[in-house]
Amino acid sequence: MLNHTEVSEFILLGLTDIQGLQYFFFIFFLLLYLTSVLGNGVIVTMVISQPRLHTPMYFFLGNLSCLDIFYSTVTVPKMLTGFLFGRQPISFDGCLAQLYFFHFLGSTEAVLLATMAYDRYVAICNPLCYTLVMNPRTCLLLAMASWFLGFAHAMMHSIMTSQLSFCGHNHIHHFFCDIKPLLNLACSSTSLYMTLLNVVTTSVALGPFILTVLSYLYIISFLFQKVRSQEGRWKPFSTCASHLTVVALLYIPLFFNYTPPSSSSSSRRDMQVSIMYCAITP
């Protein structure tokens, strides 16, 4: 009978072990992280302090900026430490906490982006009903629903991961504790977890994505059917440009990472793609 020793901590191998690249990446991602935190912090401060920004669009933008400050903070500081000091140990509980907050904030962002797309749809296609439909109570309920769905999705993953057994090899080929690298280290059966990863996680990402796409299809259709001038079409659509950019930066790597089945051969590719929504998108 094999004697398995339960793993009490993991070792994050990081993005690279090439020393020259580590220093370059440290400076690059530090500047990116500071830009993200300061930029989003300014947005939150402005939205709170300026009464004229107390509108649905800026309410959701403030939520998104607040979320992105924490989202990047979950993974980037640990990655920066790895660039300076090499492989980073992380306790089992610390790994679970990082996994939980990463998926909590990531799932919330996906739903929040769909909510913002719906807000733009109502503002552009039904401007006379906008204040009635997107009243303060509705905005608050939509924001709370976004945060709750993210909370529930992350809690499911954390509980399932805590039930897995880890023994022997404890090196995670990633710069943070994510689901797929952890599944590759598990000693116990991961078939149920893989089903949840491929069905539930895909649904949580796909549902908001479909709502976002539908909102923009309605907006584009409305602009081409109801608005005749080029300037008249561009002006309302220009308010959506930054939102569409964030949606693309989030969803393209997200589907690239989480919709295919997990495989150990794709771990390095997954880690490189993760940088996009961990550091660039916020």
Side-chain angles (χ1 to χ4, degrees), residues 35-264:
T35 302
S36 172
V37 172
L38 292 174
N40 284 299
V42 169
I43 292 173
V44 173
T45 304
M46 291 290 289
V47 170
I48 293 173
S49 62
Q50 297 292 326
R52 64 189 179 87
L53 299 182
H54 293 174
T55 63
M57 183 176 75
Y58 287 105
F59 170 73
F60 292 124
L61 181 61
N63 271 265
L64 185 67
S65 294
C66 181
L67 182 151
D68 277 336
I69 291 172
F70 294 110
Y71 190 39
S72 56
T73 301
V74 169
T75 56
V76 176
K78 192 74 175 176
M79 178 174 67
L80 293 175
T81 308
F83 289 142
L84 287 182
F85 303 107
R87 299 176 177 184
Q88 288 296 296
I90 185 170
S91 67
F92 181 77
D93 290 338
C95 192
L96 276 182
Q98 191 179 51
L99 174 74
Y100 169 77
F101 283 109
F102 175 76
H103 284 279
F104 167 41
L105 296 167
S107 303
T108 302
E109 177 156 356
V111 181
L112 200 55
L113 287 171
T115 304
M116 294 173 74
Y118 174 72
D119 170 70
R120 291 298 82 206
Y121 158 72
V122 178
I124 294 171
C125 300
N126 297 287
L128 297 178
C129 301
Y130 183 64
T131 55
L132 181 64
V133 175
M134 301 302 292
N135 58 69
R137 183 174 180 273
T138 301
C139 292
L140 183 61
L141 288 174
L142 287 171
M144 289 175 63
S146 300
W147 288 92
F148 176 76
L149 285 171
F151 166 81
H153 178 241
M155 184 60 71
M156 178 200 72
H157 279 304
S158 297
I159 291 173
M160 290 294 294
T161 305
S162 67
Q163 304 303 310
L164 295 175
S165 296
F166 298 92
C167 50
H169 184 52
N170 69 338
H171 288 187
I172 298 177
H173 292 273
H174 216 300
F175 56 87
F176 72 98
C177 289
D178 200 7
I179 292 173
K180 291 172 75 174
L182 283 173
L183 289 179
N184 290 332
L185 300 182
C187 299
S188 53
S189 173
T190 60
S191 56
L192 176 60
Y193 203 114
M194 282 304 303
T195 302
L196 286 172
L197 178 63
N198 293 330
V199 176
V200 180
T201 302
T202 302
S203 300
V204 167
L206 200 58
F209 178 72
I210 291 172
L211 289 174
T212 302
V213 171
L214 286 175
S215 295
Y216 278 108
L217 286 176
Y218 277 115
I219 290 172
I220 293 169
S221 175
F222 173 83
L223 291 177
F224 276 94
Q225 288 180 7
K226 303 294 184 181
V227 182
R228 299 303 175 190
S229 68
Q230 286 291 107
E231 185 182 350
R233 289 173 181 173
W234 173 247
K235 188 176 180 181
F237 197 74
S238 64
T239 65
C240 308
S242 58
H243 179 261
L244 275 173
T245 304
V246 173
V247 168
L249 288 174
L250 177 69
Y251 275 105
I252 292 173
L254 196 67
F255 285 129
F256 195 73
N257 256 14
Y258 289 104
T259 49
S262 177
S263 66
S264 57

